[in-house]
Amino acid sequence: MKKKSLKDILLDPKSNYETITGHIITSEDIMDFYNLYLEISDLEKEYEKTVYGRKNEALKIREKLMLLANMNNLFEKNLKAKVQNYEIATKNIEDVRVKEHYKMLEVLKELASNDEVKYVVKTFNFPAVSFSENNGYRYSYDIMGQLIILAEEKALEKLGSSEHLTHLRRSMLEDIYNQGFSMVLAGTNEHLTENLNIENKRMLGVYQPLVFYLQNDELSKAAYSLMLFINDNGADFSNLEVTDIVKAINEKYIVRSKKRS
């Protein structure tokens, strides 16, 4: 079934707000806009010559102009969203916003793992409490927190094999580092990612960042290589495969990392 064009969606009285705003602009929509503009231009020329029935002709032109204006509004919103998206992609490394945590962690895992050591990415869900304020009152409510961690496979054995934990404390994560293992964290609870009692910390991202707690090991080298890659190429990994990113880093940035280590 052929996907409906924006013009058809706007002309359909059954179309709702979600259908309209959720439509992805296509080249067909641009051509519809162009042709509609030409059609209105021809109608305006005819209108200038019209004596009888001007009111009806004006109504027709007004209806088509409203359709054109509605299309233009959606084009403008689409363009603003695209500008914002690519603006985020151009941010310097200290201002980047990480949108694909799993993909970055998978890249690090592939870069760091070798025949002697295996790194894994695990996701843990755990009970947590969230707070909000309204009219001077502070409310708390139970939620499910999430933590994503990249570390050596044997370092994560103490956390168990289940993805659902009855509790998760900072000391459990600090213990992994204190055993001599590097780790990279991401998640919904900054208390468990950004606020560990570990001095050697680096963050990538300004909102729900990747948080690096690094030792002198393969994961540290991989993290440094990733930083070099992002510094030159940005942190937008959308539409890129993990294998392609790993290959690019290995071809250029891993060498620079080793030279400086």
Side-chain angles (χ1 to χ4, degrees):
M1 182 177 175
K2 184 180 178 181
K3 185 178 178 180
K4 292 177 68 174
S5 67
L6 177 60
K7 179 181 176 182
D8 290 337
I9 291 174
L10 291 173
L11 290 173
D12 187 351
K14 296 181 181 180
S15 296
N16 55 33
Y17 176 81
E18 288 76 15
T19 303
I20 294 171
T21 57
H23 177 77
I24 299 176
I25 303 300
T26 66
S27 56
E28 180 184 357
D29 297 326
I30 305 299
M31 288 304 301
D32 284 342
F33 184 90
Y34 172 76
N35 291 328
L36 183 59
Y37 190 93
L38 293 180
E39 183 181 347
I40 292 171
S41 181
D42 291 338
L43 288 173
E44 287 179 323
K45 291 176 183 177
E46 291 297 321
Y47 176 81
E48 292 173 0
K49 303 174 185 176
T50 301
V51 177
Y52 298 107
R54 263 199 160 205
K55 183 177 180 180
N56 288 333
E57 293 302 314
L59 288 171
K60 292 179 183 178
I61 295 173
R62 177 180 175 275
E63 183 177 347
K64 291 185 180 295
L65 282 170
M66 289 179 63
L67 174 59
L68 193 72
N70 287 333
M71 293 179 72
N72 185 67
N73 287 337
L74 290 167
F75 287 164
E76 185 177 2
K77 289 180 180 178
N78 179 263
L79 287 172
K80 286 182 178 179
K82 283 181 176 290
V83 168
Q84 184 179 31
N85 181 62
Y86 287 108
E87 183 177 345
I88 291 173
T90 64
K91 295 289 186 181
N92 292 327
I93 194 167
E94 62 270 14
D95 299 317
V96 301
R97 180 171 181 176
V98 179
K99 296 190 293 183
E100 299 195 40
H101 296 80
Y102 281 104
K103 187 176 287 186
M104 285 197 178
L105 290 172
E106 285 294 324
V107 168
L108 285 168
K109 182 188 78 173
E110 294 299 318
L111 289 170
S113 296
N114 54 44
D115 294 337
E116 298 178 358
V117 60
K118 180 180 179 182
Y119 288 87
V120 294
V121 178
K122 294 193 68 172
T123 300
F124 294 101
N125 299 295
F126 55 92
V129 178
S130 182
F131 298 94
S132 64
E133 291 189 12
N134 187 17
N135 296 325
Y137 292 93
R138 194 166 190 241
Y139 300 91
S140 65
Y141 48 95
D142 295 332
I143 62 170
M144 286 301 294
Q146 185 179 80
L147 177 79
I148 313 169
I149 179 170
L150 165 65
E152 279 194 49
E153 186 174 35
K154 58 183 179 181
L156 297 181
E157 290 177 355
K158 286 190 175 182
L159 297 181
S161 58
S162 174
E163 294 181 356
H164 300 277
L165 302 177
T166 57
H167 64 280
L168 184 59
R169 299 187 301 271
R170 289 194 308 176
S171 59
M172 297 165 67
L173 300 171
E174 291 166 354
D175 184 57
I176 293 174
Y177 182 84
N178 291 332
Q179 291 179 60
F181 298 107
S182 289
M183 59 183 178
V184 185
L185 307 176
T188 58
N189 189 328
E190 65 181 31
H191 180 71
L192 293 169
T193 56
E194 301 175 39
N195 298 331
L196 300 188
N197 188 28
I198 300 172
E199 292 185 1
N200 187 17
K201 176 181 71 175
R202 181 169 182 178
M203 296 194 296
L204 176 65
V206 294
Y207 173 72
Q208 290 190 353
L210 287 182
V211 188
F212 299 80
Y213 296 100
L214 302 175
Q215 308 276 3
N216 183 22
D217 55 16
E218 292 302 315
L219 183 53
S220 177
K221 292 180 182 179
Y224 185 64
S225 300
L226 177 68
M227 296 291 186
L228 289 173
F229 177 84
I230 290 175
N231 189 62
D232 287 351
N233 303 284
D236 180 13
F237 285 9
S238 58
N239 304 315
L240 294 176
E241 297 294 332
V242 169
T243 52
D244 294 331
I245 302 169
V246 170
K247 180 181 178 182
I249 293 175
N250 275 323
E251 286 180 349
K252 183 175 180 181
Y253 297 92
I254 201 78
V255 173
R256 290 165 60 184
S257 173
K258 287 178 178 176
K259 285 182 178 179
R260 299 187 186 188
S261 62

